[in-house]
Amino acid sequence: MELGFLLGSIVKIIGILAYLYGLLWVLARPNRWVKIIGVIVAFGVIQLALTNIGGFQLLTNFDSGLLFQACAMTMVALGLNLIYGFNGQFSLGQWGFYGIGAYTAADITYRWVNGDARGLLVVGFGTILGGLALIYIGRWLKRFRGVPVLSSFTLYLIGAILAGIVAVYIGNALNPLFEPLLGTNLNPGVLNSPLALQIVFFLAVVFAGIFAAEVSFLFGLPVLTLGSDYFGIATLGFTIVVNVLMINSDTILPFPEMKGGRGMVGIPKLTTWFWAFFFMMAVIIIMRNLIQSSTGRAIISVREDEVAAKAMGIDVAGSKLLAFVVGSFFAGIGGAVYAHFIGFLSPGTFGFLQSFNPLIIIVFGGLGSMTGTIAASFGWIFFLEGLLRVLLSQMGTEAPTWRFVLYPITLLLLMLIRPQGLLGNIEWGFLKQKEVLPREIPAGEKPEMAASEA
Amino acid sequence: MTTISTILEITDLTKFFGGLGAVRNFDLTLKKGDLNGLIGPNGAGKTTVFNLITGIYEPTAGDIVFNNTSIVGLEPFEITRLGIARTFQNIRLFSNLTVLDNVRIAYHPHTKYGMADGILHNRKFDIHEKELTEKAQEFLAIFGLENLQNEIAKNLPYGQQRRVEIARALACEPRLLLLDEPAAGMNPREILELMDLIHFIHDRFDLTILLIEHQMRVVMGICKFITVMDFGQVIARGTPKEIQENERVIEAYLGKGAGHAA
């Protein structure tokens, strides 16, 4: 009976892999309509399984929770794979950006449903103005030769802080316009209708992602100049700083609603399968397209050989920063999706021990393999749950402890048997690089070198 | 060559690593279309000169002028974009990528679509990506590597890796090409092929080439003018014939007294 649960989760993992394969296969079809219909069907299948039809529900609410968690984890892990797997920068900071995204988005929607529009206004204007400030400062700095990194960092930081201050003033000024429309918690106003909330949720997720990306830009600029290992330690420091700020968010930061170490409660549960699927697909498609473009090849070349990349005219520092910022953007989005599915954020979730989770997933799935990362994110969540259920019935309260004995052993075995990760660098369907056929040589034209040798 | 103009002018170039003067008061002038050599015993500072030209090291003193603009203090990638490409003494290919991708990466600075087009995979991306790939394939075709385009670079034999590296350097569309010991580790037959290849790319792409080489056969065979370095300083300049007869050069290579014996 208990083994049944483990078997059940293995069946689920196989089912997910089959589903993933199908999804990626259909996305690789050349016809646009086939693609669109395929994605809609893929979305619909799970939606149907989650719907209660005449008292029967294939996937329970518990399963749907796991599913959303896996979607969020996929986004975070893909972001980290871009940074570590494709760009070669060992980062432990991903979890910090995940936390930033979660708390930012949660604060926006929490304040919104409680009749306060400042969350959305300040973060929205802040990220937009901040982004513009960073872009224009960057353009201006390009005119000078050999600007030290710390000097440009200072300028960027001042620009970002000024943008933030302006955003706070704008938010406070505009808030009274929104307040009557929002109503109170008991008496929701026009802008608190379900539809309006969906739009606010979408904006919250996007702004959370952009905010995480901007923080990563400011953090990455000086820190990315460090070598790979030192960069890893610095990013670990970042995760710890973010975590400590979360624990003290009600005392040293002016956010009483986050309730510090007690955890933030009352976040509206707005993540549905539609949104989880939508954001996950967006992340997968953006990342795949990026990797398979010239910019992506530049990112990969930095991993392969920095000196050679420099000599080939590739802006190595710029590529590193780009990968780091995009990766953190994905983490921020993942965090926002996570926050709105679980409805409760505790700083414990974002501790530094957990910051190894995405790292484990990408190594497990295969560094530099997107398919592996996606598969491993889902597999990891469902495997851990299956294990927990088996152990729970056997050992009761000691189960969670034993779970973290068995699961590292599994990791150990996998690393011994398949050090390149579950899937190595195999990609499926849509994610596979299109093979370029050799150029057809017109008749009569010989390779020039061969001709000159003759 | 109809125009006799200077493409690269190095004056008083000096580089100290701590107290060690790796390069001291080095001067070099290259005219458009030159095919010159830079030789010297091991540790003479030849590769340091290359690293200084390409911006990997910053000079302690002196100036490097390329096409009438000083390139001292520029980032390596900026120097490459101005038109200086190089190969490495120990081959530095992107070893886990395909041969085609190696060349396509070098073409990256000339890409005509931006990051946004790349993410959207729009029509602009399709057109320019195709163009870029064809361009890369053309470079490979010139070197007879067309059929190997989907091979992983590290799986190729040594001689072909050298060719890929030169193809990749040419994909940067340089005006000045720096070759760092291109014949290292090659057998005599491969060396002959390489000499043909260097002559061929020199004429075909209208390049200026500066090469470091230990194999005297290569240097004497293809270079029109040679600069000899020892202990970070220039000890001789001249045509291959002059260099072969120069006593200081023989001394540097064979030791004191050898010159008299010869």
Side-chain angles (χ1 to χ4, degrees), chain A residues 142 144-146, chain B residues 51-59 64 66 69-82 84:
Chain A
K142 266 203 182 128
F144 306 102
R145 187 189 280 197
Chain B
N51 285 340
L52 288 166
I53 297 173
T54 51
I56 291 176
Y57 300 147
E58 204 160 315
I64 305 169
F66 177 70
T69 48
S70 171
I71 55 170
V72 173
L74 286 180
E75 289 286 323
F77 75 91
E78 292 171 318
I79 292 174
T80 308
R81 288 176 191 192
L82 286 175
I84 301 182

Side-chain angles (χ1 to χ4, degrees), chain B residues 54-218:
Chain B
T54 51
I56 291 176
Y57 300 147
E58 204 160 315
T60 315
D63 200 10
I64 305 169
V65 177
F66 177 70
N67 264 340
N68 301 324
T69 48
S70 171
I71 55 170
V72 173
L74 286 180
E75 289 286 323
F77 75 91
E78 292 171 318
I79 292 174
T80 308
R81 288 176 191 192
L82 286 175
I84 301 182
R86 70 173 294 184
T87 64
F88 293 89
Q89 190 174 351
N90 42 345
I91 299 176
R92 277 176 176 272
L93 287 175
F94 304 120
S95 47
N96 293 316
L97 305 181
T98 62
V99 170
L100 182 67
D101 275 347
N102 264 282
V103 179
R104 284 201 285 189
I105 286 167
Y107 207 70
H108 173 69
H110 306 286
T111 310
K112 291 191 193 70
Y113 63 87
M115 194 181 91
D117 300 313
I119 287 176
L120 295 172
H121 268 211
N122 56 14
R123 186 169 286 276
K124 194 176 169 193
F125 168 85
D126 286 338
I127 293 169
H128 292 301
E129 178 77 4
K130 191 156 175 275
E131 192 183 297
L132 184 156
T133 305
E134 276 169 5
K135 193 93 186 166
Q137 285 176 325
E138 257 174 58
F139 279 113
L140 287 177
I142 289 167
F143 291 86
L145 292 164
E146 211 168 15
N147 298 324
L148 300 170
Q149 63 169 16
N150 291 326
E151 294 286 328
I152 301 295
K154 67 177 173 194
N155 297 343
L156 293 181
Y158 193 82
Q160 275 169 342
Q161 289 196 14
R162 279 272 175 220
R163 282 180 171 222
V164 176
E165 210 189 17
I166 296 174
R168 188 180 69 171
L170 287 175
C172 298
E173 305 204 321
R175 274 173 291 177
L176 170 62
L177 181 64
L178 308 174
L179 300 172
D180 196 345
E181 294 200 26
M186 285 189 169
N187 62 34
R189 198 179 60 84
E190 285 174 327
I191 287 177
L192 281 181
E193 278 178 23
L194 179 84
M195 286 165 70
D196 279 340
L197 182 75
I198 292 174
H199 266 304
F200 167 74
I201 58 174
H202 179 247
D203 298 340
R204 164 88 208 265
F205 296 97
D206 209 3
L207 278 173
T208 310
I209 296 179
L210 178 64
L211 83 148
I212 294 177
E213 191 46 75
H214 273 305
Q215 304 263 0
M216 285 306 142
R217 221 150 55 104
V218 179

Side-chain angles (χ1 to χ4, degrees), chain B residues 224-228 236-243:
Chain B
K224 311 254 161 37
F225 193 86
I226 296 170
T227 308
V228 190
R237 293 171 207 276
T239 58
K241 203 166 175 329
E242 287 165 8
I243 294 296

Side-chain angles (χ1 to χ4, degrees), chain A residues 240-283:
Chain A
I240 294 172
V241 168
V242 169
N243 194 32
V244 171
L245 285 178
M246 283 171 188
I247 294 171
N248 299 295
S249 54
D250 53 346
T251 50
I252 59 173
L253 294 181
F255 302 115
E257 73 278 9
M258 290 182 189
K259 298 194 183 64
R262 288 163 290 159
M264 186 173 183
V265 287
I267 303 159
K269 293 191 177 184
L270 293 167
T271 299
T272 52
W273 168 241
F274 172 76
W275 286 119
F277 185 75
F278 174 83
F279 283 115
M280 188 179 71
M281 287 315 290
V283 165

Side-chain angles (χ1 to χ4, degrees), chain A residues 132-153:
Chain A
L132 289 176
L134 295 183
I135 288 168
Y136 280 102
I137 292 172
R139 283 203 186 152
W140 181 67
L141 280 174
K142 266 203 182 128
R143 289 190 211 164
F144 306 102
R145 187 189 280 197
V147 183
V149 175
L150 284 178
S151 310
S152 53
F153 167 73

